[in-house]
Every structure is written in C-alpha cells, then in structure tokens.
Amino acid sequence: MNHFTAILDYGVGNLKSVTNAMRYLGFDTRITSDPAELERADAIILPGVGAFPDAAEKLRVPGLDKTLLTQAEKKPILGICLGMQLLFDRGEEIRPCAGLGLVHGSVRRLETDRKLPHIGWNSLAFQNHSPLFRGLDDGVYVYFVHTFCGVADRESDVIARTEYGPSVVAAVSCGNVYGCQFHPEKSGETGLVILKNFGELNK
C-alpha cells in the first residue's frame, strides 16, 4: 500500500510551499481534490489563503466539506492559516458563514490596537499537550499572516497561544483534527518539526 499525505486543492491554498516542505521531510505528498484520493491518504492537509466565505463555498459546492467530515473520523487532518479557521463552526469575516464544525467556536477579527493584518514572527505558549509540538520548547517562534483568528468554545481544544496585544489562539486540536493559525511551512526549522510530527501521526 502506498502511504501518502494529501494536500487538498480547492483553489485557495498556497500549495507549493506546503508540498515542498513535506517532500523535503521525505513524505510522499499529493496535491488533489479527488475524494477517492483523500480516502486513500494517510493524512490530509487543508491549506488556505483569502477570505473565509469564499473558501467555505469552494469546499461546499463540490462536496469536499462532507468528505473532510468523514475523513476526520479516520485520519489526521491539519488546517493551516485560513484552513485552520475553516475547521471552526462559523466565521464572521465579510458575512456570517458556516465552517466545518470540527472545532467548536467562531472566527473573529483580531481585537487589537496593533496594525492589521498581523504579519511576522511571534512566540508560542504551549498548553494542553499535543504530539504536534513534540521536541519543541515553549517560546519557539513561528510566522503569522492573518487578520482573523479562531475563538474556541472549549479551552481544552487550544494547544498553543500567542500574543498580539491580547492573547490569540495559535493552534488547536480536537480528535484527529489539528489547526495552526501560523504557517509552519514558512517557519524555518520549528515549522519543519511541526510538519514532521504531523506526518508521523498515522505511522
């Protein structure tokens, strides 16, 4: 059996950098929008760049949202940036919009006096142990680009926070589902460790 990680292509993701990072780490990685390929994959990465409603629609129209809900019961899924936001119940960007509902909570505009979008390197404060951060020390730096952020209903789903004025949810985990508001594929050695940890979850 071929073992591979599927990177979901639904028209809004920065696929190349994520793919390059995973392949650099030695993982067989396939960019796909085929539900059958998602079914065969060991794990799925959901990247995302842009606005929540547009991305949610691009998942919903071809039925990829239903595929993700089914696969989340079977294998690890990692949402990155907007991909993490789509994991939540709903988003408030532009207009109220339903998300995947894999993590309970909503996606809201950052409440900060600082410049938006938040672009740059920030440190992580870990909470609620997660295999995603195995081998990393509290306080490592990762790269963010965002104006909106997830607000989790359950603090037990939050595995890392950062600060940009107030405390901001930086990563979540619920069952097989993981999300990083930051870009691990742009976060140097720290990001590579996180992607490697994710890639090894189902081994």
Side-chain angles (χ1 to χ4, degrees), residues 2 5 27 42 48 72 92 114 119-120 130 140 157 178 186:
N2 291 332
T5 297
F27 295 105
D42 293 321
E92 299 177 3
R114 299 186 183 184
I119 302 175
S130 171
V140 293
D157 291 341
Y178 300 82
K186 297 180 180 179

Side-chain angles (χ1 to χ4, degrees), residues 15 18 27 57 112 138 147 152 198:
L15 306 178
V18 178
F27 295 105
E57 185 72 4
T112 180
D138 198 65
T147 300
F198 174 75

